[in-house]
Amino acid sequence: MRNKLHTILAAGAVAGAILFAGVARAADTIKVGILHSLSGTMAISETTLKDVMLMLIEDQNGKGGLLGRKLEAVVVDPASNWPLFAEKARELIDKEKVDVVFGCWTSVSRKSVLPVFEELNGLLFYPVQYEGEESSRNVFYTGAAPNQQAIPAVDYLLSEDGGGAQRIVLLGTDYVYPRTTNKILRSYLHSKGITDADIMENYTPFGHSDWQSIVAEVKSFASAGKKTAVVSTINGDANVPFYKELANQGIKAEDIPVVAFSVGEEELAGLDTAPLVGHLAAWNYFMSVDTPENEAFIEAWKAFIKDENRVTNDPMEAHYIGFKMWAQAVLQAGSTDVDAVRQAMYGQTVANLTGGTAVMNTNHHLSKPVLIGEIQDDGQFETVWETDGVVVGDAWSDFIPESAKLTADWTYPWVCGNCEAPKYD
């Protein structure tokens, strides 16, 4: 009798422990790290990305969360300080035990955190256009690669529709993204018959504010009698005085068009856009695009942010797509385990807000449309050119000889991000 009672009590204790573990598990949250600058020179661009992530997390929680668990946002501010990005990434993964991180804007911030994510096997969704020439199994690149933004933009500038430019000015902030992108573009321009004599290249530090002499140099370079255009990889709040100086010196789009890769609706919201009408930007999304998906996104954004004047932009769409894909992959894997989610990410699809379908490819890049838009006086963009369909992002550029032979494919058994493709007899 005593043994029987002991057995019953033991069984009850086990059942209670299992029940307690189940309750505790259900009470656990799925932690989502948000790694964006909320202060410093990049806050002008990155604060909105923090906000849209909070919106997406709130929306998912309204649908019951994932795997029966609520999502919890863990927000940190790396303050536009590149070494601090690495410290905050380690804090998120090692201390906060987040299941995934959405963050970074500049490539120097991404390069800073990359060793941390690879060491700790974290998972980063990076939402901004970048220079390519990188492939990590711990990063999904949801922004544009050069063949999804920079190359099509230059093609447009050289075309008759884009003004038939014969001289190109490459203006950038002095860090890895502009310098590597312009290395690719210089090689590409050579392939189009444009010599170094017809290419001007200049770099300025983050937060640069005195553009008078540089804009004057651009005017002088454009006075040689050949149609000239500017390709801008200027990042952050330096764009505000740059565009103001263009207007001050009377540079109009019909004379010297500027196509920007880092200026969207959010940056234009702080400018008098009247003198900038006709200048260009190349992205994969514009707020002005008329699709049911985009209309619903804008409506949800304005309801969440409680401000009818707040705009949407391309990196926000990239976070939207990346978050939706991650959530789908978690459900497919039945787990937030990084290795399981990574494998489930391949082939995930989400409707682009501008039309067509985004697909996550095995090189960790998306298939996306490419749009070129003209700045309007209301701070929006009118699409003047777009690809017929989506373009698959390339991790490695065909216009850098040492990169052209490399491939990125993270599916088993061919798991490599920077190897030469195998040759078969």
Side-chain angles (χ1 to χ4, degrees), residues 138-157:
N138 294 91
V139 181
F140 285 99
Y141 306 83
T142 56
N147 71 307
Q148 295 172 306
Q149 185 186 43
I151 297 294
V154 166
D155 278 339
Y156 179 76
L157 291 175

Side-chain angles (χ1 to χ4, degrees), residues 221-233:
F221 184 76
S223 66
K226 294 181 178 181
K227 182 67 178 178
T228 301
V230 175
V231 173
S232 171
T233 48

Side-chain angles (χ1 to χ4, degrees), residues 192-212:
K192 294 295 183 179
I194 295 184
T195 66
D196 285 333
D198 288 319
I199 302 172
M200 170 184 165
E201 196 166 345
N202 183 277
Y203 297 96
T204 47
F206 279 99
H208 187 71
S209 59
D210 183 6
W211 289 93
Q212 187 173 356

Side-chain angles (χ1 to χ4, degrees), residues 1-8:
M1 182 69 178
R2 188 172 181 176
N3 288 341
K4 185 175 181 181
L5 179 60
H6 179 73
T7 301
I8 292 171

